[in-house]
Amino acid sequence: MNSVGSVWRKWDLHIHTPASFQWSGQRLDEQTPTQRASTFQSLIQRINETDVDAFCVMDYWTFDGYLAIRSYLEAHPEATTKRIFPGVELRLEAPTNHRLNTHVLFDDRVTSELLGHFLARLCMGSPEGRPPSRQNFVELGRGYDGGKLRQHGYSEQDRADDEKMHLLGLQTAVVTRDSLRNAVSVVGERECLKPYAAGTRECG
């Protein structure tokens, strides 16, 4: 029992890492092991400098940034006393003229294996759709017609460029509601907080 009564604590449930495709600096997959260590040392230092007690890594489509933080903290358990939770930001299918962003927050005891199972159960675009992966994002982007390509600033010639098609897939993919429910059930309701959504004006 807390002898001082109720205590209000600050939580920030939406931070990004260099694993997110929207990161403006050097991406995580472009960094050497030494650079990664420096990146996460700096990130944890910034976290420690705040008056926030708990954070959630909410990168788009991936847990790579969170898992890199978890690995860093396993090697440096003294680095912080803050709680850092895994999360993922997705786009959800919606019968509207704008995309619906969905955020899923997990218990920090969930294993990396279960987080991988969660992503593997998601279906992009249709009930028979494929789960989010680099190659599937590339194929999604490459499958758009010319009008869709132009709408997002790409040309027909860009179809041959895997990097550009990967980025286009990341920018436009949506997952089905049923597959999200299925993915949550794989992890378990007690370990996965109910997803919440926020509308955006990210038309596509």
Side-chain angles (χ1 to χ4, degrees), residues 63 66-67 70 74 86 106-119 186-188 191-192:
F63 295 109
Y66 169 77
L67 293 175
R70 178 185 278 183
E74 286 173 350
F106 301 84
D107 191 303
D108 58 355
R109 293 168 294 185
V110 169
T111 66
S112 58
E113 182 179 20
L114 270 180
L115 294 176
H117 291 336
F118 174 89
L119 290 179
V186 169
V187 177
E191 288 76 26
C192 178

Side-chain angles (χ1 to χ4, degrees), residues 28 53 87 119 122 130 195:
L28 189 64
D53 288 295
L119 290 179
L122 296 174
R130 297 179 177 182

Side-chain angles (χ1 to χ4, degrees), residues 15-169:
I15 66 171
H16 287 287
T17 76
S20 184
F21 80 91
Q22 292 185 320
W23 190 260
S24 59
Q26 188 180 36
R27 294 285 309 282
L28 189 64
D29 57 8
E30 299 169 343
Q31 296 182 16
T32 66
T34 300
Q35 289 173 324
R36 284 191 177 203
S38 177
T39 292
F40 290 108
Q41 181 181 26
S42 297
L43 188 151
I44 295 300
Q45 181 178 345
R46 291 183 64 184
I47 283 175
N48 287 337
E49 290 170 352
T50 73
D51 61 350
V52 179
D53 288 295
F55 296 82
C56 181
V57 176
M58 200 63 74
D59 289 336
Y60 261 115
W61 301 115
T62 182
F63 295 109
D64 289 351
Y66 169 77
L67 293 175
I69 291 174
R70 178 185 278 183
S71 178
Y72 178 84
L73 292 178
E74 286 173 350
H76 305 86
E78 75 293 342
T80 189
T81 59
K82 313 274 187 170
R83 294 286 293 274
I84 303 176
F85 295 89
V88 66
E89 184 167 6
L90 311 167
R91 294 187 202 90
L92 188 64
E93 62 178 3
T96 64
N97 63 354
H98 62 272
R99 293 247 163 78
L100 190 65
N101 279 14
T102 300
H103 309 81
V104 190
L105 170 65
F106 301 84
D107 191 303
D108 58 355
R109 293 168 294 185
V110 169
T111 66
S112 58
E113 182 179 20
L114 270 180
L115 294 176
H117 291 336
F118 174 89
L119 290 179
R121 291 299 183 99
L122 296 174
C123 294
M124 299 192 302
S126 71
E128 297 77 29
R130 297 179 177 182
S133 70
R134 177 181 171 79
Q135 188 57 40
N136 289 341
F137 284 124
V138 170
E139 293 180 7
L140 177 67
R142 191 166 285 149
Y144 290 136
D145 61 27
K148 183 78 167 181
L149 291 176
R150 289 190 296 273
Q151 179 183 353
H152 291 279
Y154 297 89
S155 67
E156 289 288 348
Q157 290 71 31
D158 290 330
R159 290 187 194 277
D161 189 321
D162 281 3
E163 290 302 320
K164 289 183 177 180
M165 292 299 97
H166 180 221
L167 180 58
L168 177 57

